[in-house]
Amino acid sequence: MRRRVARHLAVQVDGEGALRDRCAGRIIESALLLLLLRKERALPRVQKELQEYLQRAQPKGTLERVVVDALSGRACEADELLAGLSGARHGSGMRKRLLLDTILVLCGLLPDGTRPDPREIAPRPQAVWTELTLYAATILYVHDNAGAGADAGESGQELAEYQELLVRRLAAFPARRVWEGNALCHLVALHALHTFRPGSELMREGIEALSRLRGPDGGVPFIDGQEVFVTSLAAVALASAPGHERLAARMGQYLASRQHFDGGWGYNEATTQTDVDDTARCVELLRMLDARRYRHVIAAGEEYLCSRTNEAGGFPTYLRGHTSDLDMTAGAVIAMPWNRYGNMLAPAVDVLIDAQQPDGSFEPSWTLSRSSAILRILDALACVPAAETALHRRAGEATAKAVAFLDESRGSDGGWGHVPGKDSDVLSTAQALAALARHAPGTDLAKPLAYLTDQQHDDGGFSSIADQAGPRPLPFDFPVLADVQVLTALNRLIAHNAA
């Protein structure tokens, strides 16, 4: 199984050392592009193809279903929609609610009187796509209110300021490219641009880029690529698969060349926004491949991670001071050597342990699977040295509780789903298997292995449901990650059995 999936994965790596998988199309972005083309009266053939995609696409959740209904002329209940989104809004903050509600406004689905004012969000540094989305949402909000009879003078001045900011940001990115690689953000920005510059060159270039982004399924994906993130995960897996060491080394060279001036990495080649997740994964890989050769690259990455840690000990996704994230915190603990950064990593481990749920699981963040979060966090807890007696004991107790959760949540077919009671899927099963192989030696893993055996295709690859979420909790899919996670699990199973 390992030889077959490793070969299938290896042939997808290009000559530069990058794994450039395509993101599957998604209903939200496809609907927003269709609506934009209707407003601009542009590309009738593309409009027809997007309509056909939306007619055959399978909605994932209430939001996508009501969007499809709305664009198809079918009635949908507002209370049903809001009930479906209540889980997404809970605890997600004003920025997340603003983006979701802006999507609903553009699709004509938000009930009157429930739209938040973007100006209520306190100004603070944000990720680049969050800032652009805030500009766009404010333009749409102020434009609509001004049209409804608001103070034209005050609103007009404010509107002009945000319009200038939006245009400046869009124009600063290379022409005919999806802005920062983020199709959803680009689409929301173009809907705002339509209110004051319809038919402009920026509009035409954006529509061209987004239309060209459509994949074989006809839909528009969430992002235009994730080659840095996917390559880093795949290289770790291939580095441990016999016969693929040289390929993994080439992938490491590619990733080292993608480091930004601030010492961090972004999720793909297009974005200027670095983040803790991709930086931690690249540092982890380069240390594994050749710590001496990449010592300067690794040092810059470590400095980047140090600059992001929050006072309470956790790590955010993008900027210091943002809410700490469990995945990011675990990744930083894994990537950084304890003998040099123990004073910073010990509080981070405390954050992880304190976040454990009563049932032993952890809330996922940028993924949907509980086993995904457990795998990442248990790998981080295993980094605590025995000399840290009290913390090591707490880490061991948390690991035992998480292992018990995995044991109890396994399905009758031997696999795992996103959460207990859900149908098993390849990604959730592979990640649970990888966690148990390393952190619960001696566990009988024959049934999970049999489940994965049954899921392997003739070409050696695997397929799964989407496990990534962005913006959370909306799922998006890079199919190659199923191969990556299965290979990771098999590497661990073989290594720990041999040991």
Side-chain angles (χ1 to χ4, degrees):
M1 280 181 68
R2 178 168 73 167
R3 284 195 299 270
R4 292 174 62 207
V5 69
R7 284 197 300 267
H8 184 262
L9 187 59
V11 299
Q12 299 178 67
V13 180
D14 66 17
E16 193 178 1
L19 209 168
R20 305 179 191 278
D21 194 27
R22 291 186 68 107
C23 183
R26 198 163 67 170
I27 285 174
I28 300 301
E29 288 76 9
S30 303
L32 291 178
L33 179 56
L34 175 57
L35 290 167
L36 182 66
L37 294 177
R38 287 176 178 174
K39 291 177 180 178
E40 289 283 318
R41 300 181 180 179
L43 305 180
R45 181 181 60 81
V46 176
Q47 289 189 43
K48 180 175 181 296
E49 292 170 353
L50 288 168
Q51 287 175 311
E52 292 171 350
Y53 166 80
L54 292 170
Q55 287 170 359
R56 65 176 180 270
Q58 296 297 315
K60 299 178 181 68
T62 304
L63 176 60
E64 290 193 345
R65 179 163 53 82
V66 296
V67 166
V68 170
D69 287 344
L71 268 67
S72 302
R74 295 189 292 268
C76 56
E77 295 295 330
D79 56 352
E80 179 188 10
L81 170 64
L82 295 176
L85 285 177
S86 61
R89 293 181 179 186
H90 178 67
S92 61
M94 283 290 291
R95 296 188 309 278
K96 185 61 58 61
R97 175 172 178 176
L98 174 65
L99 175 57
L100 292 174
D101 285 350
T102 300
I103 293 171
L104 300 181
V105 167
L106 293 173
C107 294
L109 291 167
L110 194 67
D112 292 337
T114 60
R115 183 179 181 183
D117 186 343
R119 295 166 296 182
E120 294 177 2
I121 297 177
R124 60 182 293 195
Q126 304 285 358
V128 291
W129 33 77
T130 304
E131 288 186 346
L132 190 69
T133 300
L134 285 170
Y135 299 157
T138 304
I139 290 168
L140 291 166
Y141 181 89
V142 176
H143 178 271
D144 290 348
N145 280 4
D151 184 335
E154 181 180 350
S155 296
Q157 180 179 356
E158 187 174 30
L159 196 57
E161 292 173 357
Y162 281 102
Q163 288 170 348
E164 182 182 355
L165 288 169
L166 183 91
V167 169
R168 189 186 306 161
R169 286 297 180 89
L170 288 175
F173 204 74
R176 297 179 178 84
R177 296 283 301 276
V178 175
W179 193 84
E180 293 285 345
N182 189 315
L184 178 56
C185 177
H186 200 171
L187 281 161
V188 173
L190 291 181
H191 276 275
L193 184 68
H194 173 80
T195 65
F196 64 100
R197 285 195 185 179
S200 64
E201 184 177 0
L202 271 180
M203 178 68 73
R204 293 194 302 271
E205 291 174 347
I207 285 176
E208 178 185 337
L210 290 160
S211 299
R212 194 171 57 244
L213 183 60
R214 292 176 303 141
D217 60 4
V220 181
F222 166 47
I223 51 179
D224 72 353
Q226 205 178 18
E227 54 274 4
V228 172
F229 176 79
V230 171
T231 301
S232 64
L233 268 68
V236 169
L238 287 167
S240 300
H244 298 283
E245 296 85 357
R246 291 180 63 184
L247 176 60
R250 187 167 80 240
M251 297 167 79
Q253 293 174 15
Y254 161 77
L255 290 170
S257 73
R258 305 312 306 177
Q259 188 175 37
H260 290 244
F261 289 115
D262 64 1
W265 280 263
Y267 70 94
N268 70 8
E269 294 176 345
T271 184
T272 62
Q273 177 68 61
T274 54
D275 63 80
V276 168
D277 192 17
D278 291 284
T279 301
R281 292 184 185 276
C282 288
V283 168
E284 176 188 357
L285 169 70
L286 296 176
R287 194 188 310 282
M288 173 194 298
L289 292 176
D290 195 333
R292 177 171 176 77
R293 175 181 180 181
Y294 295 114
R295 61 188 182 278
H296 298 302
V297 177
I298 292 170
E302 291 175 353
E303 186 176 348
Y304 174 93
L305 293 173
C306 289
S307 71
R308 295 309 190 265
T309 182
N310 283 331
E311 290 184 8
F315 287 76
T317 302
Y318 301 113
L319 300 173
R320 178 180 172 87
H322 285 196
T323 303
S324 294
D325 181 281
L326 295 183
D327 262 355
M328 307 304 110
T329 302
V333 172
I334 294 167
M336 304 177 75
W338 196 279
N339 61 347
R340 292 182 58 195
Y341 299 102
N343 289 340
M344 182 179 66
L345 298 179
V349 170
D350 278 329
V351 168
L352 296 175
I353 294 173
D354 291 343
Q356 190 167 35
Q357 303 292 304
D359 63 3
S361 69
F362 297 87
E363 286 289 338
S365 57
W366 292 102
T367 57
L368 300 170
S369 168
R370 294 294 175 112
S371 57
S372 171
I374 289 173
L375 170 62
R376 195 71 170 147
I377 292 170
L378 294 195
D379 285 353
L381 297 183
C383 296
V384 180
E388 298 278 351
T389 309
L391 190 59
H392 188 268
R393 175 182 54 78
R394 292 184 66 217
E397 293 170 352
T399 298
K401 288 176 63 178
V403 165
F405 171 84
L406 291 176
D407 284 337
E408 294 167 4
S409 59
R410 186 188 307 179
S412 59
D413 58 1
W416 284 263
H418 281 168
V419 295
K422 288 288 187 180
D423 291 342
S424 297
D425 65 83
V426 167
L427 278 166
S428 299
T429 300
Q431 292 169 123
L433 180 60
L436 292 172
R438 173 172 290 180
H439 303 292
T443 302
D444 184 359
L445 300 175
K447 287 191 72 176
L449 187 59
Y451 171 85
L452 291 178
T453 302
D454 291 341
Q455 302 299 316
Q456 191 168 31
H457 304 316
D458 292 340
D459 63 4
F462 290 83
S463 300
S464 186
I465 61 175
D467 186 37
Q468 292 182 282
R472 295 172 281 188
L474 304 179
F476 68 97
D477 185 27
F478 276 82
V480 75
L481 289 176
D483 296 340
V484 172
Q485 295 295 355
V486 170
L487 180 56
T488 299
L490 296 178
N491 284 338
R492 291 190 176 196
L493 186 60
I494 291 169
H496 285 274
N497 278 359

